[in-house]
Structures are given as C-alpha cells and as structure tokens.
Amino acid sequence: MFGTVVDWRSSVIREGKQITESTDQTVDWAAFADAWRKEYRPSLERVRQGEIPWQNLDELHRESLEELLDRFDVEGLSESEIVHLNRAWHRLDPWPDAIPGLHRLKPHYVIAPLSNGHVRLLTNMAKRAGIPWDLILSAELSGHYKPDEETYLTAVDLLDLEVDNVMMVAAHERDLDASRELGLQTAYVHRPLEWGPEKADSTEKPEKNAYDIVADDFIELAECLDAPPIIR
Amino acid sequence: MFGTVVDWRSSVIREGKQITESTDQTVDWAAFADAWRKEYRPSLERVRQGEIPWQNLDELHRESLEELLDRFDVEGLSESEIVHLNRAWHRLDPWPDAIPGLHRLKPHYVIAPLSNGHVRLLTNMAKRAGIPWDLILSAELSGHYKPDEETYLTAVDLLDLEVDNVMMVAAHERDLDASRELGLQTAYVHRPLEWGPEKADSTEKPEKNAYDIVADDFIELAECLDAPPIIR
C-alpha cells in the first residue's frame, strides 16, 4: 500500500500543511514526511524482534510523531490536532494509475491489500479514496509484520489458495523477495516518485526477469495479467 | 449472511436442480436444502464444544452433504460435481432489497459481513453477487463460531471501534441477543421467506422495541439509519 498503491509522501505533506497553514509556523513538511516514514521500519523491527508487544501503525506512528514534532519544533498542536495528523496515514491518495488498474484487475482476480497497516487504517483509506478491494488483508490478521512469513502465509490461508495462485504486488523488493521465498508469484511496480521528484533517479528498477512481472504502473500490471478494460 | 443478506434456500435448490437436471433422478431439492441447513447448527456446535477441531464451512458442509446424498438417494455424482455442489454456499443470491439497501448505507457507514462463513466463501459470494462490502469479517478471523463472544469482539477489535459504535444486523434473534449482551447495537431484519413460502407464517417478527431497529428489509434499515439514496 504505502508507496505501491498510495503516494504517502505528497499526502502527508498536504496533511501537515493543513495543520500549520493557519499558524505563523514554517515547517519543512517534505522533510517531516520523509523523516516520519524513515521511522517506520525501525518501529516495525522493534515489534518483529520482540522488543515491544504488538502495536498497530497508529500506535507506532504516534510514538515517532511525538518525537518528530519536537525535532521539527512544531508547537502548539492540540491533542485532537495531533490525533488527526497521526491519522494522515489513513488519508493517503492513490497514485493516478492505481484505481484504474485495480478496476481492470477486479473482474478477473480477487484483489486485496496486504499491508503492515492495520485493518481499520486500510478500510478507511480504501473508503475515502474509492479503492475497489474485494477484502482487506493486513499484517494485523497474523499479529506479525512483513517480512515475517506469517503475514504472507496467513493471507494465503484466508484466501484458501495455494501460494503459487497468489501474487504479491509491491514497489519494494524486500517485500517481493520474502513473498517469492514462500512460493508466491511476484510483481514489481516501479514508483520512482515515492521519495519525491528529487530522489526519482535513485530508485533503480530491477531487471525484467527479477520477478514474474516488472511493470511501470498498475495499468501495465493489468495488461501483463490479461485484464482488459471493462466497457460498461 | 445466510438468511439475512442472501436467500440460501432458493439458491441451494437451484444449484441442486442444475446437478440432476441432465439425469433421470428426481430429488426433492427443497427438502434437501432444508435438511442441509438444519445440519449447520449441530456442526457448528461440535466445533464450539471442542468435540472437533476448527473446520471451515466448506469442510462442515461437505460432511453433512455426504450423509444427505446418501439419505436422499442421490447417485452417480462425480467428485468434482460434489465439490461444486458443496460450494453452492459460495453462490447464494441476495434478497432483492439487500444490495440496494447496502448501497444506501455504504456512503454513511463501514459495512461488512460477520458470518460463520469463512473469508473465502464470503469473498466469493460478494464478488459473484456484487455485494459492496468495505471489508470481509468472519468467524474465521477469531477461530470461534457465533454466538461465541470471541467472534463479535474480534470483529469490533479489527474495526478499532467501541462495541456501542458497531451495529449487528441479522434475521436471527440468537445472533442479535449475543451481540446485545456484549454491548453492540442491534438491528433485526425480518425474513419470513427464509425457510420457504410455506413456512412464512411461522417466522414471528419481534416487538418493535426488542432491538434498536426492527425492519422489514434493508431499505427500511437504511431509512432508520438516515441513509438516503445517493443520486449519482
């Protein structure tokens, strides 16, 4: 989801700006968004390594948010503003190709997210943005964060399918490598803008044969999967 | 789901007839459907009481199906026909008001099934019939069948809501009584045709104040919940 289906960076920047636009504070929300996202993996690792008990992304995001508000000298936010900002991760906008591509896939395949985001976050995001999932799958259903194998295997088990009848789609090779290791099919979708236009050149696209599919976006993914547009 | 959102009886009768229409067998598929459904609760009870380990509805239905094929003298079905008939429960048609009512509710509420059916069954059913759920909730996610409290509480937990912000909708008082006991809101939807037209008079509708809402169908439910039709 984060980076693959939705553009977390622009959306978090937008949400940050909304919070401070009526104040006289100048905050580098782009740097803030990047820093927040960079706390994500270490937070998950603490859960994965058993240092802290299971916490959902709202809880993990909140912990890093408080530290970042301090680091970026963002002052005077009320508790309800902090809660609202923390839930910016429920209000992320899809990349422009994601929903059209998913609409092409949906008549032919069961489509679901498999994110470290919890069920409520993914549900809110889909409902706000109109993402046409058939069901919501999440790390939360296994109590394990990706790339723990339990996350993927619980999802496959709930789909009541064999691993090789399930395809993991992601913009992140670590996620795909873990999936492939377990026998899932894999599709890489290239998102050079995930970390902003200035970093676009530093995101390298893997070789065509690195995964079952290597696509530039969800439209190309749908084409590779023989999912033509449905004319209604 | 079974009886509340979908008309299991007519659908199972239809599926049964399709299986035997090209043979010279005469099977009373209405009686067969009723008998199959009557095996449902005792099957669940065996899981609930710990007599047998967790099995999903495909597995429980299959066990009773084999016994019923014998009892009704249905002969000569191939293994793939038996598998197909067993999955008739994935191909149930909604009552005529269910999808229009859910479309009215969807812009205002998060809507999900909470069924003893497993995730795959509910996903297949929704996809085939076009039921516009936001997510699929199921007894399977808790490993407990309704009316065990774990089924309801796991669903509420995944929605990340308080019990009194969640409403259970059902045509079955047992399901609603268990929900109300835990603090959920409750809506009864009357389905006098669940067991066929001949039994319509024997399904008594509870008093208006027995639950938060007592409605004749999903349209009335949407009206009670201030969910007007959306004109697009």
Side-chain angles (χ1 to χ4, degrees):
Chain A
M1 285 299 300
F2 303 114
T4 303
V5 178
V6 295
D7 174 7
W8 56 265
R9 189 173 189 272
S10 305
S11 306
V12 171
I13 294 170
R14 177 199 71 223
E15 295 276 337
K17 285 181 177 167
Q18 281 170 6
I19 289 269
T20 47
E21 69 187 351
S22 60
T23 72
D24 56 2
Q25 295 181 73
T26 310
V27 179
D28 183 348
W29 284 111
F32 193 107
D34 290 344
W36 204 357
R37 180 64 175 169
K38 279 186 184 136
E39 295 293 327
Y40 172 75
R41 201 185 284 184
S43 296
L44 297 184
E45 285 305 316
R46 291 170 61 212
V47 176
R48 292 184 64 227
Q49 303 306 329
E51 284 174 43
I52 53 172
W54 176 265
Q55 295 188 31
N56 70 26
L57 282 204
D58 281 354
E59 294 164 314
L60 296 174
H61 279 144
R62 172 71 189 237
E63 204 177 318
S64 42
L65 174 58
E66 289 186 13
E67 194 259 307
L68 289 169
L69 289 173
D70 197 45
R71 194 197 308 172
F72 281 76
D73 292 322
V74 185
E75 284 172 355
L77 298 194
S78 67
E79 170 62 18
S80 72
E81 283 174 319
I82 295 174
V83 168
H84 184 75
L85 180 57
N86 196 51
R87 286 174 52 139
W89 297 92
H90 297 220
R91 298 187 299 275
L92 307 179
D93 290 323
W95 298 106
D97 55 279
I99 292 182
L102 289 169
H103 273 294
R104 282 175 63 161
L105 289 165
K106 183 162 168 138
H108 307 279
Y109 299 96
V110 170
I111 55 172
L114 180 57
S115 167
N116 283 331
H118 47 302
V119 169
R120 167 133 182 208
L121 178 152
L122 297 169
T123 301
N124 285 350
M125 195 188 298
K127 201 160 174 77
R128 174 182 172 279
I131 308 173
W133 302 126
D134 288 307
L135 71 162
I136 302 289
L137 295 171
S138 160
E140 186 182 19
L141 299 178
S142 66
H144 285 267
Y145 281 119
K146 294 190 290 182
D148 282 2
E149 66 175 31
E150 289 88 344
T151 320
Y152 306 95
L153 295 178
T154 299
V156 171
D157 191 47
L158 290 170
L159 292 167
D160 200 12
L161 291 170
E162 300 300 323
V163 282
D164 57 355
N165 279 317
V166 181
M167 174 171 275
M168 184 71 198
V169 179
H172 307 111
E173 299 197 51
R174 176 174 132 117
D175 205 358
L176 296 177
D177 292 346
S179 305
R180 187 177 47 195
E181 187 72 26
L182 297 168
L184 284 82
Q185 296 188 57
T186 51
Y188 174 90
V189 175
H190 194 46
R191 296 300 189 193
L193 295 175
E194 178 175 359
W195 290 90
E198 287 165 30
K199 300 275 176 58
D201 292 339
S202 60
T203 312
E204 218 162 304
K205 192 171 154 182
E207 298 289 321
K208 267 284 170 203
N209 60 2
Y211 300 104
D212 294 301
I213 292 173
V214 174
D216 278 327
D217 58 26
F218 274 60
I219 303 294
E220 190 184 348
L221 175 69
E223 279 163 7
C224 291
L225 289 168
D226 290 323
I230 300 291
I231 312 299
R232 292 189 194 281
Chain B
M1 286 298 298
F2 302 114
T4 303
V5 178
V6 295
D7 174 7
W8 55 264
R9 189 174 189 270
S10 303
S11 306
V12 171
I13 293 170
R14 176 199 71 223
E15 295 277 337
K17 285 182 176 166
Q18 281 171 5
I19 289 270
T20 47
E21 70 188 351
S22 61
T23 72
D24 56 2
Q25 295 180 73
T26 310
V27 179
D28 183 348
W29 284 110
F32 193 106
D34 290 344
W36 204 357
R37 179 65 175 169
K38 280 188 183 132
E39 295 292 328
Y40 171 74
R41 202 186 283 185
S43 296
L44 297 183
E45 286 305 315
R46 291 170 60 211
V47 176
R48 291 185 64 228
Q49 304 306 327
E51 283 172 45
I52 53 172
W54 177 266
Q55 295 188 31
N56 70 26
L57 282 204
D58 280 355
E59 294 165 312
L60 296 174
H61 280 143
R62 172 70 189 236
E63 203 176 319
S64 42
L65 174 58
E66 289 185 12
E67 193 260 308
L68 288 169
L69 289 173
D70 197 46
R71 196 196 309 171
F72 282 76
D73 293 321
V74 184
E75 283 171 356
L77 299 193
S78 67
E79 171 60 19
S80 72
E81 283 173 317
I82 295 173
V83 167
H84 184 75
L85 180 57
N86 197 50
R87 285 174 54 138
W89 297 92
H90 297 219
R91 298 187 299 275
L92 306 179
D93 290 323
W95 298 105
D97 56 278
I99 291 182
L102 289 169
H103 273 294
R104 282 176 63 162
L105 290 165
K106 183 161 170 140
H108 307 280
Y109 300 96
V110 170
I111 54 172
L114 179 58
S115 168
N116 283 332
H118 47 301
V119 169
R120 166 130 184 213
L121 177 152
L122 297 168
T123 301
N124 285 352
M125 197 188 297
K127 203 161 174 77
R128 174 183 172 277
I131 307 174
W133 301 126
D134 288 308
L135 71 162
I136 301 289
L137 295 171
S138 160
E140 187 183 17
L141 299 178
S142 66
H144 284 268
Y145 280 119
K146 296 190 290 182
D148 283 2
E149 65 175 34
E150 289 87 346
T151 321
Y152 306 96
L153 295 178
T154 299
V156 171
D157 192 48
L158 289 170
L159 293 168
D160 199 13
L161 291 169
E162 301 299 323
V163 280
D164 57 355
N165 279 317
V166 180
M167 176 172 274
M168 184 70 199
V169 178
H172 306 111
E173 299 198 50
R174 177 173 130 117
D175 205 357
L176 296 177
D177 293 345
S179 305
R180 188 176 47 193
E181 187 72 28
L182 297 167
L184 283 82
Q185 294 188 58
T186 51
Y188 174 90
V189 175
H190 194 46
R191 295 299 190 194
L193 296 175
E194 178 174 0
W195 290 89
E198 286 165 30
K199 300 276 176 59
D201 293 338
S202 60
T203 312
E204 218 162 304
K205 190 171 154 183
E207 299 290 320
K208 266 285 170 204
N209 59 3
Y211 301 104
D212 295 301
I213 292 171
V214 174
D216 278 328
D217 57 27
F218 275 61
I219 303 295
E220 190 183 349
L221 174 69
E223 279 163 8
C224 292
L225 289 168
D226 289 324
I230 301 290
I231 312 298
R232 293 192 193 278

